[in-house]
Structure formats: structure tokens, C-alpha cells
Amino acid sequence: MVAVEVLENKFFHLHNDRISYLFYVMENGQLGHLYYGAFLGELTKEDFRYMLLRESKSAGTVKYSEALTLGDRAQEYPVYGSSDFREGAIEVMDGEDYLYLDFKFDSYAIEDQKPYDLEMPLSASTENVKVLKVRLKDSDHKLTLTQTYAIFDDVSAIVRSSELTNDGDRSVQISKIMSGALELPDANYELWHLCGAWLKEDHVKKQNLAPGHLSFGSLRGATSPQHNPFAALVEKGAGLDNGVVYASNLIYSGNFITSINVNEWNQTRIYTGINPDHFSWLLEPGESFKTPEAVLFHTKDGINGLMKETHAFVLNHIIPPKWQNKVRPIVLNNWEATYFDFDDRKLLELAEKAKEIGIECFAVDDGWFGHRDDDRTSLGNWTVDERKFPNGISAFAKKIHEMGLKFGMWFEPEMVSPDTKLYADHPEWVVGHPYERRSVGRGQYVLDFADPQVVDAIYQQMKAIIEETGLDYIKWDMNRNITEAYSNYLHEKKRPQGEFFHRYILGVYSLYAKILSDFPEIFIEGCASGGGRYDLGIMCYSPMIWPSDDSDAVERLDIMSGAMLAYPLAVFSNHVSACPNDQVRRSTPLEMRHNVCDFGALGYELDITKLSDGELAAIKANIAEYKKQRELILFGRFKRLLPFDENEVSWCVTNDSQSLVGFYRKLAQPNTSIFDYLKLPFADENKRYLVDKKHQVKGRWLKNNGLLLPYQFNGANADTAGLIGDFQSARISLEELN
Ligand code: DGJ
């Protein structure tokens, strides 16, 4: 059930059967916020009137009118000034001057569809969705602001976006336009957000809210591994399965900001949207500007409740429909196996072995084009290196296909190396200020994707390769961020350089759109040195993301723990790599690497031609087992079983009758308990379970006492053969019996 109810052309109630979102037209015509939380049932005019009763007066305020101060009023889309001293959601300039904006309710419309769109990433559904568009007008400045709200029947989320239209006859500049805002009546929350850097993406950082202002975001041209746009406000005292959590995310891959303000009365205001730094947009008469969508989640069921919502949202409303319930292929990628040092013979050896052990897709990573023997050359020259492929790339692809494998290739479409013809012919296609010095990252420049001509030139090169090889899968990499964000194209078009970052990311989306419209079967994995552009925007095109270049199983536990707060297992590709690990030099047992990588889209990235028979047999057996459980893993419900910040990590996926538990102990500790148990809060007390296809166990026992965990070496074991110290792990299956 999903509905938008409107009373007296003034009170708005968006709800499904789990959440209610309420706002109203205030006495000054602006939109006031009333409530976001658990479903309230049917509401009458009397209910709304009660909600509006106010007894207290806030001291030290300036008034908008006799009985109204915006300083203490929760609002839907606040504007700075006019009695509200907090940061606003929108700023518009007329030349050097700020406009004092005052958007008043004009009209509304309700739609029943939210179509999938390739032009701009959007949440989508063709049924069981309601879209409410509220039109507000600032008649002094002849501006129309449309606030769009969407609610789906199956997730506890409100999707918001804003659109500004210039109805006047003078151009104006938008210097800030947030996607949406959420006001909460208190500040009793801990902020959790995902931050890190290359090789340590998505670590969960927590801090208490306090009066003042805090924000995080990106000015790198991509969402970045430093900060993901996701933010959760976790009620103090909330646990894995109880307590209120609000969260926000943004369906966008460029510069963003998430900003949280707590005022003197402990009211909390959270905004998210395009980062206003280095942003300005010229809005000519008759033009409109649309923001990306913000998503606001609510649950009262703690961290696991939050993940239920965020995962369902991505799986049902973000991922391209074609991939919504489709398993991801098991990939062998040659990167960590060979780096740049390969030729077609070496790759065919790898592919043959891959086929033997059950792998489904072979992907050639970086180094197949130009004369790329290291990372300082050839980007932008997407023609095959005939030294490495003397028979050409199509003959190679044919062999891979004849083996019954899918074929994938690596591209880094947005970049150009200084030694290419593309760069020599078109130095003006590179992003950079027009002075002598130009910043270089990984020896490469960024192409000006704000310019449609540049996007098209790259597309034509990619199209030729896709057609020649019958390509099934693209790994789309992006390995440097943008500085000196200056576009010759915008200069020529007389558009402000402040438009660059947004136009750049729209250009990236347009390349995705071209590829996916012409080759709808192709599967594109998003990658940006690992998790440098890991967001809901890219997921609208890429159903799978390479979340980190760090393939160490221990580090991945932390990365996954963070990423899983916002994104489901199905979008997470995990590759088993060699040991000692290339990023941290840590050696973990193959079993641990499997037990970590199996939770997600499994893949391999090591020289499997050099493994022992025993290791190959173990991989083959793991792949066979994984295939049986793949749907459960990718589309089952994910829950954490142990809290964060522990030496021990445990999680599980469950569907109606099956569950798979992962348990990991990073470091061994001497002389701990003799028997370890892991409680399973989700176990049904009235059922029995078949554990690891061997033991029949009562649900009540599993819930109240727990699953028996593997034996831990405690310093006094007589027989230590087969016991693991550090990096112990277990994967335990459960089947409901009745
Ligand atoms: C960074 C990616 O994340 C790696 O997986 C690999 O594709 C390299 N780039 C290749 O240059």
C-alpha cells in the first residue's frame, strides 16, 4: 500500500504501511515539516490541527510575521534569512546580489509512475509508487521551485528532489541548490558515515551530534573514497535490531555535500545535494535546473532494520531492471595475476584453467591497448596492442567465447595519457586551467566530459571494440580526480566554469547511456581505483562495483561492514587474490579469503596456473558450493550478528527457508572461552534447523544459546594440528526443517 493524502489543499501525508511523512502549508505560504517516522494510520484535520498547537515561545528570535518565526519552525526546504539564521537549502544570485527568496505554495500534482531514465540517474518503479510534485512560487523574482517527493510501497524511504525554473526575463545564477532537507525535533543521535581513502574505503566513523554545524562531502569530481554520500543518524542506545535510525543518501556521483546543523533548541536539520563550492549555474529565462535525488530512510529496527531498507531500495529501485534479480557471473580478472605483463598465450592459459574450475567470465584488465606496459601511457588510444595480441582482439575474444566463457575488458574512458594522438590532436579536450602548469595524477589527464563531442569521440572507439569482440562485460575504471576544473568548451559556450563539475558527471552518465542503449545486454562494473565512485548514481548504470583495490580479506571485513550499511551484497564484487596479499603483505588462509569473498559477487584475481592441485581443488569446490547459494547470498536479507568495532565479525544472509552465516576472528586471543557460541536472533523458536547439512538443532537453542563456533586454539590444546590461530573463519549453512 502506498498513498499521498491531501487535506484541505494544505496538509500532505505520504505513507506506505511502515512510514508516514507529513508536511503542510504554513501561515506564510511556505512549506512546514511536521513528521517523518513510523506509519501513523489515517489522519484527520483534527490530528493535523493538534500537531500544529504550540505553547512555548522561543526567546531571542526575529519574526517573519506577528505569530511566526522561521528560526524554530521545521521546514521542508529552508531558505537562509527572513527570521531563520541557519544555513539554507538554496541560494540564487542576480549578478553580485543575493536574492531574498520566499517560495509560497501554488499547486500540486500526483503521479503513479516513476520511470527508469538513462539520462540522469533516478530511482524508478513502474508500479506501487506515488510521486507528489509541489509547486512553489517566488513572485517577486519570478521563480518556480518544484519539490518532488516519491514513496514506494516496499521501502521505508522518501525520495526528494528540487527543480528551479526561471519564469522571468532576466538570467539568474544558482549558487546552491540542495536536493532535499530533513528536520528532526531533537539531536539525540550519533552520526555514522563512511570514510577512508584508497585501500581503506568505507570505514564507519561515528560521532555524537552537538549544537553547531558539521558537514562532509567531495570536491574531487567524484563522490570519493574519502567520504561516501551516505549518512546515518543512529538514535542513542539503538542496537543491531532495535532503535530508530534515519539515513540519507544521494543518487549522484559528483561533488556532493551532506550537512548537519543542530540549533540552540537541539533541532537537527540535515541537507544533502550537489556541493555548492565550485558550483554556479546560469539559469536563463525559461530554463530549469533539476537536482539529483536525495533518499531519506527511516527504521525503528536498528542497524539491521536500516540495511533492510537501504538494500531493498538499491535492489528494487536503483539497479537497472535487467539486473535486478539476475546473478552476477563469477569473474577471473588478470590484474593481480599478471598486472601489465601478459600476452594472449598467458591469458588463454588462465582462461582455460578458469573454465576448468567453474569460472564464468574472463576479464582482461588494464594493459591490452596502445603500448601500455605501465600506467604512464596510452589512455585514450583504445586500439589493441598487437605485441600482446598478434592475432587481434576479436580472434582472442572468439577463443574465450568458444570456451563457453563470457568476455570482459577494462576501459578508463574519462582519461587521456600525454603520449597519445588523441592528446596531440586535441589538447583542448583536457580539463585544466589555461596556464602553463597542469596537475598530473597517475601520469594522466582527465578528458572534458562536459563537452558532448569528447564523450562521443570516446564512445566511437569503445563501440568499435564492443562490436569487434562481442563484449559481454566492461570494467569501467577511473583513477584520478579533477583539479583545476576548467573547461575550454564551457568557456567557448560562455557558460560559467561553476557548471563544470555537474556537466562533467552528466557527460559520464551520457556515455553510460549511449553504451547501454546500443548494447543493452552489456554488464558494466563500476570501478574508480576501487571504491572512489561508489554511489547510488553509478549503480543506476552499473549493477556491480569493485569496492576497493584492497583484496586483503581482513581489510575487506571492515570495508564491507561499512559499505553494507548503504548498499547490498549484490553490488559488491569480491575477488580472492594471492597471499601474501599485494596491498598489505598479509597472509590469510584460502578458506578465510573464500569465506569473506563468498559474501557478494565472487571472483578471482590471481595466477591460477601457479596453484597447487590442492588449492585448485579447494577453489573448484568453493565455486560449486557458491553457485548453489548464489541467489540466497546476492538477494537474501543481510544482517549483522555482531556489533561493529570488534575483533570478531559475523553476519548472515537469509531467505524464507535458508541462511548462511559468516563468522571471522581477525586475531587469535590466548586462553579465551572453551566453547564459543553465536546467538542467532532471527532463528524461529518454533522450528528446527539443519546446521551444515549435519546437525538438527532447535530454533530456541540457536536463538537463546547459539551456533557452536569453530574451536579456538587456546594455548593448551594437546593436538594443535588443523587449528588456526589468526584469521579463523567459518561459513555455516542453516536450513529450516519445519
Ligand atoms: C585500478 C583498479 O581498481 C584495479 O582493479 C585495476 O583495474 C587497475 N586500476 C588497473 O590500472
Coordinates of all heavy atoms in Angstrom, one line a residue, residues 9 18 46 148 166 197 219 308 335 532:
N9 N -6.3 21.0 0.8 CA -5.3 21.6 -0.1 C -4.1 22.2 0.7 O -3.4 23.1 0.3 CB -5.9 22.8 -0.9 CG -5.2 23.0 -2.2 OD1 -4.6 22.1 -2.7 ND2 -5.2 24.3 -2.6
R18 N 4.5 1.3 6.5 CA 5.5 1.4 7.5 C 5.9 2.8 7.9 O 6.4 3.0 9.0 CB 6.7 0.6 7.1 CG 6.5 -0.9 7.3 CD 7.7 -1.7 6.9 NE 7.9 -1.7 5.5 CZ 9.0 -1.9 4.9 NH1 10.1 -2.0 5.6 NH2 9.1 -1.9 3.6
E46 N -8.4 17.2 12.4 CA -8.2 17.4 13.9 C -6.8 17.0 14.3 O -6.1 17.6 15.1 CB -9.2 16.7 14.7 CG -10.6 17.3 14.8 CD -11.3 17.3 13.4 OE1 -11.1 16.3 12.7 OE2 -12.0 18.3 13.1
T148 N 9.8 17.7 -5.4 CA 9.2 16.4 -5.8 C 9.5 15.4 -4.7 O 10.6 15.3 -4.1 CB 9.8 15.9 -7.1 OG1 9.5 16.9 -8.1 CG2 9.3 14.6 -7.5
N166 N 13.2 29.4 -14.2 CA 13.3 30.9 -14.3 C 12.1 31.3 -15.2 O 12.1 31.2 -16.4 CB 14.6 31.3 -14.9 CG 14.8 32.8 -14.9 OD1 13.8 33.6 -14.6 ND2 16.0 33.3 -15.3
A197 N 40.1 6.1 2.4 CA 41.0 6.5 1.3 C 41.2 5.3 0.5 O 40.7 4.2 0.7 CB 42.3 7.0 1.9
L219 N 35.0 17.4 -3.3 CA 35.3 18.4 -4.3 C 36.2 17.8 -5.4 O 37.0 18.5 -6.0 CB 35.9 19.7 -3.7 CG 34.9 20.6 -2.9 CD1 35.6 21.6 -2.2 CD2 33.9 21.2 -3.9
K308 N 17.9 -3.4 5.9 CA 16.8 -4.0 5.1 C 16.3 -2.9 4.1 O 16.0 -3.2 3.0 CB 15.7 -4.4 6.1 CG 14.4 -4.9 5.5 CD 13.5 -5.5 6.5 CE 12.2 -6.0 5.9 NZ 11.1 -5.1 6.2
W335 N 44.3 -8.9 -13.4 CA 45.1 -7.8 -12.9 C 46.1 -8.2 -11.9 O 47.3 -8.2 -12.2 CB 44.2 -6.7 -12.3 CG 44.9 -5.5 -11.8 CD1 44.9 -5.1 -10.5 CD2 45.8 -4.6 -12.4 NE1 45.7 -4.0 -10.3 CE2 46.3 -3.7 -11.5 CE3 46.2 -4.5 -13.8 CZ2 47.2 -2.6 -11.8 CZ3 47.1 -3.5 -14.1 CH2 47.6 -2.6 -13.1
G532 N 36.3 4.6 -5.4 CA 36.4 6.0 -5.5 C 35.1 6.7 -6.0 O 35.0 7.9 -6.1

